[in-house]
Amino acid sequence: MIYLLIGLILLVALLTAGRSFVQANPAKLAQNIRIFGGIFLIALAALFAFAGRVVFAIPLFGLGLSLLGLSGLRGLSGGYNPKGYRAEISRAYGDGRNGAGS
């Protein structure tokens, strides 16, 4: 009897979670998943660090910080430069407005 009650509670919980997932705002859902993922990765990095697996902990910590929008490993990669990309397009296609060279 207890298994039936646990099953019904799980069914109701899954249906409620599914309904709220379907009706959620996609932008807010993505932001919440990103925050949860960042916190989870930082907690996992702490667990690895306490277990002595620092080699695994450092990249997980950096990834978690990156998901949270903090510095993370941004200084190592040099960053993304959209201005340089635009300059390459304008050189390849003339003025860049009509897609044809001059």
Side-chain angles (χ1 to χ4, degrees):
M1 186 68 176
I2 189 73
Y3 294 116
L4 179 64
L5 290 175
I6 292 173
L8 287 174
I9 291 171
L10 283 175
L11 178 65
V12 169
L14 285 174
L15 287 175
T16 305
R19 179 173 289 149
S20 63
F21 178 76
V22 169
Q23 294 175 352
N25 180 7
K28 188 70 174 168
L29 186 64
Q31 182 182 11
N32 288 339
I33 289 173
R34 196 174 307 124
I35 289 171
F36 175 75
I39 292 171
F40 176 75
L41 285 176
I42 289 174
L44 190 63
L47 183 71
F48 277 137
F50 288 133
R53 305 288 184 180
V54 179
V55 175
F56 296 121
I58 292 172
L60 285 177
F61 186 74
L63 219 74
L65 286 178
S66 296
L67 282 177
L68 291 176
L70 302 174
S71 63
L73 300 174
R74 189 178 307 149
L76 297 176
S77 66
Y80 171 66
N81 186 8
K83 292 180 183 175
Y85 179 69
R86 278 292 195 199
E88 290 175 15
I89 289 177
S90 65
R91 275 185 263 136
Y93 294 112
D95 62 356
R97 286 181 283 177
N98 59 3
S102 40

